[in-house]
Amino acid sequence: MRSTPSAKTSRSSSGSYSSDLVIARGGSISGNEPGNRRSRDEPEPAFIHVAPRSMPLPVLIAVPHAGRAYPGETLSQMRDPDLSQLRLEDRHIDVVGVEIARATGTGLLVAQAPRAMLDLNRSHNDVDWDMIARPHRGGSVPQPHLNGPNARARSGLGLVPRRLPGFGEIWREKLPRKELDRRIDNIHRPYHDFLSRELKRICDAWGAALLIDLHSMPPLRQQRSDKGTKEVSPQIVLGDRFGASCHSGLVARAFRYLDHKGCVAAHNRPYAGGYVLDRHAAPQRGIHAVQLEICRSTYLDASLSEPTSAVSPLAKMLAGLVRELGAETAGLGAGGQIAQAAE
């Protein structure tokens, strides 16, 4: 694993922390192509992690769905690259994550690999074999045993997304099995191995660790109350796998904070968390995890495409939430006592 970030991430992530940073890059998105900005012996990393050497909170923010480093061959296989990118990405939520990390000093893990290539919030087993050419094992290198597909893969949103609701098929051709194996080996496995190690490192140091899996969501439909009047749609959805992925005190504290800020939030519906929480959360061992879904209308323009000036106030509000949850997690690590402040 290399220790130098891409220029883009270095400029965006390191300005807020002290100069004493630990920066790691891991995995690889693809082989190099003519005209690639990176040298031929330095492929684009699948993820980049930035953290202060001395962290003030036992919190890691991870952003698995905002990757925008598309290989040329991937774009050329898309029927409509612009639409697919807009619909599949958690559009620019990494920009919000960077500002939260700057304000709080937490670690930040950002996937550079786009969700279109491989969804890091799905199991490596979650494969729709109808989109894979020659789905038998190939080559002499042992590959992971793959089962499936499950319901999400059949709906078109498995490990490699196949179709979009209201649009149809994403790809012009089937994906070769060899390329699927390469993505699992070079993107999925390194990302999750690193995430596991980093959470363990934080937990060993503090007695507890909190993973905030940061996502964004399309605006939710307004709901009608029993009296027939429209209610405000949630701006944030907190997912904890219906209580399985973290201590209940963390979610309770989060809702108290958001209510105080006047932010409408929902719990587990329609997003309860996915594979990331299933794999990495272990509250009984001190590793807690929450999925945080942020409505894209709170920080993107009317087309839900580009960030606006609303990024900074949103990130400031969420930084306060991270401090609250970090304080709670530190208290749990200190023997279950509730921390009173994280400043």
Side-chain angles (χ1 to χ4, degrees):
M1 182 177 294
R2 298 179 185 272
S3 59
T4 304
S6 68
K8 181 177 180 180
T9 301
S10 178
R11 288 196 298 269
S12 64
S13 301
S14 62
S16 59
Y17 299 132
S18 69
S19 59
D20 191 17
L21 288 171
V22 177
I23 303 171
R25 299 168 54 221
S28 63
I29 293 175
S30 71
N32 289 286
E33 301 171 302
N36 223 344
R37 289 180 303 167
R38 308 187 68 81
S39 64
R40 287 184 174 273
D41 60 350
E42 191 179 6
E44 193 77 24
F47 64 85
I48 298 178
H49 173 259
V50 182
R53 195 170 298 278
S54 178
M55 293 173 59
L57 294 170
V59 178
L60 174 62
I61 299 172
V63 186
H65 282 169
R68 298 184 293 278
Y70 291 87
E73 65 265 25
T74 299
L75 292 174
S76 67
Q77 285 298 313
M78 287 180 170
R79 295 177 182 271
D80 188 333
D82 291 339
L83 177 63
S84 295
Q85 291 172 64
L86 186 65
R87 294 280 297 276
L88 285 171
E89 292 173 9
D90 283 356
R91 196 75 165 185
H92 297 295
I93 194 63
D94 56 318
V95 176
V96 178
V98 165
E99 292 213 17
I100 298 171
R102 283 177 173 170
T104 60
T106 61
L108 179 67
L109 176 64
V110 178
Q112 307 293 296
R115 184 184 183 188
M117 290 187 69
L118 184 139
D119 190 335
L120 291 165
N121 203 23
R122 300 287 184 267
S123 168
H124 76 275
N125 289 328
D126 195 0
V127 177
D128 180 353
W129 289 108
D130 287 340
M131 67 176 295
I132 306 300
R134 300 179 63 192
H136 53 74
R137 297 192 184 197
S140 58
V141 179
Q143 301 296 338
H145 176 67
L146 300 178
N147 302 312
N150 69 17
R152 281 183 304 208
R154 289 192 296 270
S155 73
L157 291 175
L159 181 66
V160 179
R162 180 177 62 83
R163 65 185 307 276
L164 291 170
F167 171 68
E169 298 293 323
I170 297 170
W171 307 103
R172 298 180 185 276
E173 298 176 354
K174 289 189 175 186
L175 183 71
R177 171 61 194 267
K178 183 177 181 180
E179 174 60 14
L180 172 65
D181 292 341
R182 190 197 66 78
R183 293 181 190 182
I184 292 171
D185 289 340
N186 293 354
I187 299 173
H188 194 277
R189 183 177 292 116
Y191 179 89
H192 286 286
D193 286 351
F194 182 91
L195 184 51
S196 292
R197 291 194 303 271
E198 185 61 13
L199 288 171
K200 183 179 185 303
R201 184 189 71 81
I202 296 171
C203 189
D204 288 347
W206 288 81
L210 173 63
L211 168 64
I212 296 178
D213 202 42
L214 184 61
H215 296 255
S216 71
M217 62 184 180
L220 298 176
R221 293 181 180 178
Q222 289 184 329
Q223 303 295 320
R224 290 191 179 274
S225 68
D226 294 338
K227 297 180 180 179
T229 59
K230 285 187 177 180
E231 299 178 346
V232 178
S233 299
Q235 297 174 304
I236 291 177
V237 178
L238 285 164
D240 65 354
R241 302 302 283 163
F242 300 97
S245 69
C246 71
H247 189 281
S248 60
L250 289 166
V251 172
R253 189 156 183 168
F255 277 104
R256 287 197 300 270
Y257 175 87
L258 293 171
D259 183 63
H260 177 72
K261 293 295 182 180
C263 180
V264 179
H267 188 201
N268 285 321
R269 300 187 188 280
Y271 304 107
Y275 173 73
V276 169
L277 268 59
D278 287 342
R279 172 163 174 171
H280 296 285
Q284 70 280 5
R285 293 191 286 110
I287 298 178
H288 306 269
V290 174
Q291 180 172 289
L292 198 60
E293 291 273 3
I294 311 298
C295 181
R296 291 170 195 160
S297 67
T298 62
Y299 68 96
L300 296 177
D301 59 18
S303 65
L304 302 182
S305 177
E306 297 300 325
T308 68
S309 59
V311 166
S312 290
L314 173 64
K316 182 178 180 181
M317 187 273 288
L318 292 174
L321 174 63
V322 169
R323 292 190 189 98
E324 292 273 332
L325 298 183
E328 185 86 0
T329 304
L332 293 170
Q337 300 300 313
I338 302 301
Q340 297 301 314
E343 300 296 336

